[in-house]
């Protein structure tokens, strides 16, 4: 009778498959069966969904895995998470185990080390755990505030719809469009003006240079003028004018008497009146003053 019958072969294949499946699942969960790891215990007041095979990180690097979760149903005080870290990993005194969750709800333990390391924790020691609020927890805390804001938000949306339905808004937008068109036109004209300036400025600068040269030449000629002699001549001329003015204001000389003596003015005025009367009488009776006769008779 053969030992390796078909039934035995099937049983052996099934056992090998179960063993391979066990090791495969352990590998996928991060559990190591063949290698030795250091075990530590972490106490939590709330594990927030932490389970066996959850990863353990230190400074962003995966160093171990949660092996088991122990819950005391009689005392129901703390929940103990048993973790296994790499045997080369030594945890210093003051290490904190922080329970964190990402946006997808995945839970992990993050080991945080103290800044100063004095001694190491013995293997199998207990670490006090902490729980940080994840994004979903913070979002849940914001729900009451959001519920209070909803009525105000509805009122704001209603006011906004009323404002947008106002025809003045459309008119204002139309005016803005016209203003934009005018600005575009002004910009084109300004660009045309600037192009003309860029074209004309060199010639203008050249002319300005000529003017400055002429100004410099004129300034040089002015520097050559004897200002002191010129001012002396001006002073002499002003003195002569002053002497002439004094002579006219005095009663010396004909012009002074004519301007200041009323007698001479009156005599001249009387003489002019007599001359005027004489001219009038001459015009009226010319024969009294001019006699012309062929026969030599004189009218009286």
């Amino acid at each position: 009778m053969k030992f390796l019958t078909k039934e035995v072969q099937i049983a052996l294949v099934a056992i090998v498959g179960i063993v391979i499946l066990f090791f495969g699942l352990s590998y996928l969960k991060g559990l190591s069966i063949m290698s030795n790891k250091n075990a530590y215990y972490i106490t939590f007041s709330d594990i927030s969904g932490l389970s066996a095979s959850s990863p353990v990180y230190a400074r962003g690097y995966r160093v171990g895995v949660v092996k088991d979760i122990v819950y005391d149903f009689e005392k129901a005080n703390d929940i103990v998470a048993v973790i296994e870290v790499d045997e080369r990993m030594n945890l210093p005194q003051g290490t904190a185990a922080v329970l964190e969750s990402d946006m997808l709800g995945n839970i992990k333990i993050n080991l945080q080390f103290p800044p100063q390391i004095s001694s190491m924790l013995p293997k199998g020691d207990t670490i006090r755990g902490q729980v940080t609020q994840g994004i979903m927890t913070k979002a849940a805390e914001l729900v009451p505030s959001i519920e209070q804001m909803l009525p105000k938000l509805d009122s704001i949306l209603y006011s906004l719809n009323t404002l947008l339905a106002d025809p003045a808004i459309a008119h204002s937008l139309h005016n803005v469009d016209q203003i934009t068109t005018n600005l575009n036109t002004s910009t084109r004209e300004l660009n045309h003006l600037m192009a003309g300036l860029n074209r004309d400025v060199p010639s203008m600068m050249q002319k300005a240079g000529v003017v400055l040269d002429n100004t410099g030449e004129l300034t040089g000629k002015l520097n050559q003028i004897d200002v002191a002699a010129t001012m002396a001549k001006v002073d002499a001329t002003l003195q002569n004018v002053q002497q002439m003015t004094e002579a006219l204001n005095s009663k010396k000389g004909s012009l002074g008497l004519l301007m200041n003596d009323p007698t001479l003015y009156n005599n001249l005025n009387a003489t002019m009146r007599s001359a005027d009367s004489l001219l009038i009488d001459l015009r009226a009776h010319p024969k009294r003053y001019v006699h012309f006769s062929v026969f030599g008779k004189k009218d009286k």
Side-chain angles (χ1 to χ4, degrees):
M1 185 176 181
K2 294 182 178 180
F3 176 74
L4 295 176
T5 62
K6 291 183 178 180
E7 290 79 4
V8 175
Q9 293 177 359
I10 294 172
L12 292 175
V13 171
I15 294 172
V16 172
I18 293 172
V19 172
I20 293 174
L21 179 63
F22 174 75
F23 281 100
L25 291 177
S26 299
Y27 177 78
L28 292 176
K29 291 181 179 180
L31 300 175
S32 179
I33 305 300
M34 305 301 294
S35 62
N36 296 326
K37 289 191 176 183
N38 298 331
Y40 292 92
Y41 300 92
I42 305 174
T43 58
F44 293 101
S45 59
D46 185 0
I47 61 174
S48 300
L50 182 70
S51 62
S53 73
S54 294
V56 178
Y57 288 88
R59 297 174 181 173
Y61 182 77
R62 181 169 177 169
V63 295
V65 69
V66 177
K67 183 178 181 181
D68 193 11
I69 302 293
V70 179
Y71 183 80
D72 191 347
F73 290 94
E74 295 180 357
K75 297 181 180 180
N77 291 328
D78 292 335
I79 303 174
V80 179
V82 182
I83 65 171
E84 288 184 347
V85 297
D86 193 284
E87 61 182 357
R88 297 169 296 178
M89 186 77 182
N90 295 319
L91 302 183
Q93 291 284 351
T95 299
V98 181
L99 194 63
E100 299 178 351
S101 61
D102 55 17
M103 295 183 63
L104 299 178
N106 298 320
I107 308 299
K108 66 178 181 179
I109 295 177
N110 188 22
L111 299 177
Q112 296 181 354
F113 303 140
Q116 300 293 333
I117 298 175
S118 57
S119 59
M120 297 296 176
L121 288 172
K123 297 177 182 179
D125 203 350
T126 302
I127 303 172
R128 187 66 184 175
Q130 303 174 5
V131 180
T132 59
Q133 293 182 348
I135 297 177
M136 300 303 296
T137 304
K138 294 180 180 179
E141 293 178 354
L142 292 176
V143 170
S145 300
I146 295 174
E147 291 179 350
Q148 294 179 358
M149 292 174 59
L150 286 178
K152 297 181 180 179
L153 183 61
D154 183 67
S155 177
I156 292 172
L157 291 176
Y158 177 76
S159 301
L160 183 60
N161 290 330
T162 304
L163 179 63
L164 293 176
D166 192 349
I169 297 295
H171 183 67
S172 299
L173 293 176
H174 181 68
N175 292 335
V176 169
D177 183 61
Q178 291 181 348
I179 292 172
T180 303
T181 304
N182 294 333
L183 287 176
N184 291 331
T185 304
S186 300
T187 302
R188 286 196 300 269
E189 293 179 354
L190 182 60
N191 291 332
H192 181 70
L193 178 61
M194 292 300 295
L197 288 176
N198 291 332
R199 183 179 61 255
D200 297 337
V201 161
S203 60
M204 293 173 61
M205 293 299 295
Q206 185 176 3
K207 294 179 180 178
V210 175
V211 172
L212 290 175
D213 293 338
N214 295 334
T215 303
E217 184 178 356
L218 177 61
T219 305
K221 292 181 179 179
L222 289 176
N223 291 331
Q224 295 176 358
I225 296 176
D226 191 354
V227 179
T230 303
M231 294 303 297
K233 293 180 181 179
V234 172
D235 290 338
T237 303
L238 292 176
Q239 289 178 0
N240 293 332
V241 173
Q242 184 177 4
Q243 292 176 359
M244 183 182 295
T245 304
E246 291 176 354
L248 291 174
N249 291 329
S250 66
K251 295 183 179 180
K252 296 180 180 180
S254 299
L255 291 176
L257 292 174
L258 180 61
M259 295 180 65
N260 297 287
D261 190 358
T263 304
L264 180 59
Y265 172 76
N266 292 331
N267 292 334
L268 289 175
N269 193 18
T271 301
M272 293 299 294
R273 284 199 299 271
S274 299
D276 184 61
S277 299
L278 178 60
L279 290 174
I280 293 171
D281 185 64
L282 179 61
R283 192 178 294 110
H285 305 91
K287 292 182 179 182
R288 291 181 181 178
Y289 304 94
V290 180
H291 175 71
F292 179 78
S293 175
V294 178
F295 302 101
K297 186 180 178 180
K298 181 179 180 182
D299 293 336
K300 294 183 180 180

